[in-house]
Amino acid sequence: MDDRDQSGDGNLAGSTRGLDPLAGLPEALTLEEVEEVTRIKKPTLRRLIDTGVIPAWRLGPRTTRVWREELRAVIEAGRISGGMQDDDEAGNGAGAPGDGV
């Protein structure tokens, strides 16, 4: 049986992630989840966290979490674009269209 909804738009039944990429995600996100939503690779995410662009906390030497609503605020403030940039463009968090980065 197919889990897709009957509207034919290709979204899984009950999914709202097409409208809000953070909808349905846990309150505390792993770097893998942030990477999936923002399409920014982990090394760049770590730099953005280390420089304070993305607020996060470390639970140990290899465990980092980002609050979902903090990530939403960073995206809405335009400090990162939430999936609209490639890794190369995302390095400074401000890639402008046509800047050739």
Side-chain angles (χ1 to χ4, degrees), residues 22-29 57 66-73:
L22 300 174
L25 291 176
E27 189 173 344
L29 304 172
W57 78 97
V66 175
W67 288 113
R68 181 185 61 229
E69 294 309 314
E70 293 279 349
L71 180 61
R72 182 185 311 280

Side-chain angles (χ1 to χ4, degrees), residues 4-11:
R4 298 189 186 274
D5 69 6
Q6 298 300 315
S7 68
D9 64 4
N11 289 329

Side-chain angles (χ1 to χ4, degrees), residues 20-76:
D20 179 1
L22 300 174
L25 291 176
E27 189 173 344
L29 304 172
T30 65
L31 286 186
E32 290 80 11
E33 290 165 328
V34 175
E35 181 179 37
E36 181 181 326
V37 169
T38 63
R39 297 184 189 161
I40 297 172
K41 304 268 186 225
K42 277 196 256 184
T44 302
L45 286 174
R46 287 188 181 100
R47 281 194 305 271
L48 292 170
I49 289 167
D50 290 343
T51 59
V53 173
I54 299 175
W57 78 97
R58 297 191 197 280
L59 299 170
R62 298 180 54 88
T63 304
T64 302
R65 294 292 183 267
V66 175
W67 288 113
R68 181 185 61 229
E69 294 309 314
E70 293 279 349
L71 180 61
R72 182 185 311 280
V74 168
I75 292 169
E76 288 176 356

